[in-house]
Amino acid sequence: MSVTRPLGAVSALAAAAVVLAACGSADAADPAPADGAQTISFSWDRNVAGEDEDPVYEPTTVEVPVEPETIVVFDMASLDTIGALGGEVAGAPLESVPDYLREHLADDAFNAGTLFEADLLEIEAHQPDLIVIGGRSAGLWEDLNAIAPTVDLSISGTFEETLERNTTFLGEVLGAQDEAAAALEELQAGIEEARAVTADAGTGLGLMVSGGELSALAPTHGEATGRNARGGLIYDVFGVTPVVEDVEAATHGEPVTFEFLLEHDPDYLWVVDRDTATGAEGAQAAAAVLDNEIVHRTTAYQEDQIVYLDPVAWYIVFGGITTTQLMIDDVLSIAG
């Protein structure tokens, strides 16, 4: 049995959204950890409106058991962080787990559905202690929370706020607080190092290539959501100076042309190959799409400054401890 729900949205939350004191449950029928089990609380604002309705947010708190034995994860960034902190995942949408994160799955890990649909019967049969959702799977909360305590770790606030909030929370859940703190310190140092490199790199343009078309990525200007956060990462997190001050206005939110690249001529092109990230069959690789006479006239091409970012890290996962380090390494690659 599968169920599909519209994707939910979450409002901005600070890292303090992880509440370590007990709070009321969102619903009296919500599952609760076993009597006497140590728990922590996680709170967020959940969109309870329908798919075509204006968002309506409801404060939601879920009690989560500490050191759960059986964890089901629909959010790949959370799977990354759980594994990096020494945890193991019993169930996930197996076809969507990137190769570099598969080591964090149990040897007998079961398929929990897809990023958009949950196999409720399969999940219930394994009696999980904790379910983690986020992004594409946020709309599954109601059905999954009826099975086991379910938390939504979608992007909330800035990328770095979300990284700190989720890593800190999962560290508390797994009893790996010290490891979580050390990982965050190392990642923040890496981000600062990357920013120092981009500060001297001139202008840049984030570019997504899909279906042979180009889309210019825009900064979020502090208003990151699950939908636009991945586009703004190169500017918002890593400090790249946009070649166009208002990318969204300059492009009208539409695909851009090769002539657009030549006209604005950024020093660097930061390219995400969406088709490679999603495994689109028969798609032309981004490097092939950009191999043409017009692009050859750009500064980025002539100076060998077209950077092909890890497509899975930047488009599918874009979060988690290991993945953030992959992003850092991509940016540091221009340092020579």
Side-chain angles (χ1 to χ4, degrees):
M1 175 180 178
S2 296
V3 61
T4 303
R5 298 281 186 183
L7 291 178
V10 291
S11 64
L13 292 168
V18 179
V19 184
L20 300 184
C23 299
S25 177
D27 188 319
D30 288 348
D35 291 342
Q38 183 182 354
T39 67
I40 59 175
S41 300
F42 185 81
S43 300
W44 75 101
D45 287 347
R46 182 170 58 90
N47 181 18
V48 296
E51 185 174 8
D52 299 321
E53 300 173 356
D54 292 335
V56 177
Y57 296 106
E58 178 179 288
T60 303
T61 298
V62 173
E63 294 293 326
V64 176
V66 173
E67 298 186 17
E69 292 185 7
T70 304
I71 306 174
V72 174
V73 178
F74 284 83
D75 176 53
M76 293 301 104
S78 298
L79 191 155
D80 176 354
T81 296
I82 289 169
L85 294 177
E88 186 177 73
V89 172
L94 296 183
E95 292 186 4
S96 298
V97 177
D99 288 343
Y100 72 95
L101 298 181
R102 298 193 74 84
E103 65 180 313
H104 303 323
L105 298 171
D107 291 340
D108 58 350
F110 68 91
N111 189 16
T114 72
L115 293 176
F116 299 94
E117 298 183 31
D119 189 334
L120 299 179
L121 290 179
E122 185 70 15
I123 295 168
E124 191 163 16
H126 286 82
Q127 299 184 326
D129 302 299
L130 172 64
I131 303 173
V132 181
I133 58 175
R136 300 164 178 85
S137 57
L140 302 173
W141 182 82
E142 228 176 284
D143 297 288
L144 292 173
N145 195 59
I147 297 173
T150 300
V151 294
D152 182 354
L153 300 188
S154 298
I155 287 179
S156 176
T158 68
F159 174 86
E160 289 167 277
E161 286 170 346
T162 301
L163 180 67
E164 180 177 359
R165 180 198 66 170
N166 292 354
T167 302
T168 300
F169 168 69
L170 291 171
E172 294 283 352
V173 169
L174 297 171
Q177 296 94 323
D178 291 345
E179 292 86 344
L184 286 170
E185 184 176 354
E186 183 175 349
L187 291 177
Q188 191 57 50
I191 289 171
E192 292 300 329
E193 184 182 358
R195 284 176 176 158
V197 169
T198 61
D200 297 324
T203 60
L205 181 67
L207 195 68
M208 185 174 294
V209 180
S210 179
E213 292 191 328
L214 318 179
S215 297
L217 303 177
T220 64
H221 301 295
E223 298 180 1
T225 68
R227 294 185 182 277
N228 70 4
R230 69 167 67 90
L233 282 175
I234 194 65
Y235 315 104
D236 302 335
V237 178
F238 295 104
V240 170
T241 302
V243 68
V244 182
E245 188 164 333
D246 192 339
V247 175
E248 190 168 357
T251 63
H252 307 290
E254 299 292 330
V256 298
T257 64
F258 299 115
E259 288 79 8
F260 179 92
L261 305 184
L262 183 59
E263 175 188 355
H264 296 284
D265 201 24
D267 295 300
Y268 277 86
L269 283 175
W270 303 88
V271 181
V272 178
D273 188 335
R274 181 181 181 277
D275 291 336
T276 295
T278 60
E281 292 186 13
Q284 192 176 22
V289 174
L290 295 173
D291 187 11
N292 62 64
E293 187 272 334
I294 298 174
V295 175
H296 290 178
R297 292 160 56 194
T298 65
T299 297
Y301 179 86
Q302 293 180 358
E303 298 294 328
D304 194 22
Q305 292 176 171
I306 299 178
V307 183
Y308 293 94
L309 303 168
D310 184 304
V312 173
W314 289 78
Y315 185 76
I316 300 294
V317 184
F318 61 100
I321 293 173
T322 302
T323 301
T324 302
Q325 186 59 56
L326 289 175
M327 293 174 171
I328 293 168
D329 293 343
D330 278 347
V331 176
L332 290 177
S333 68
I334 73 170

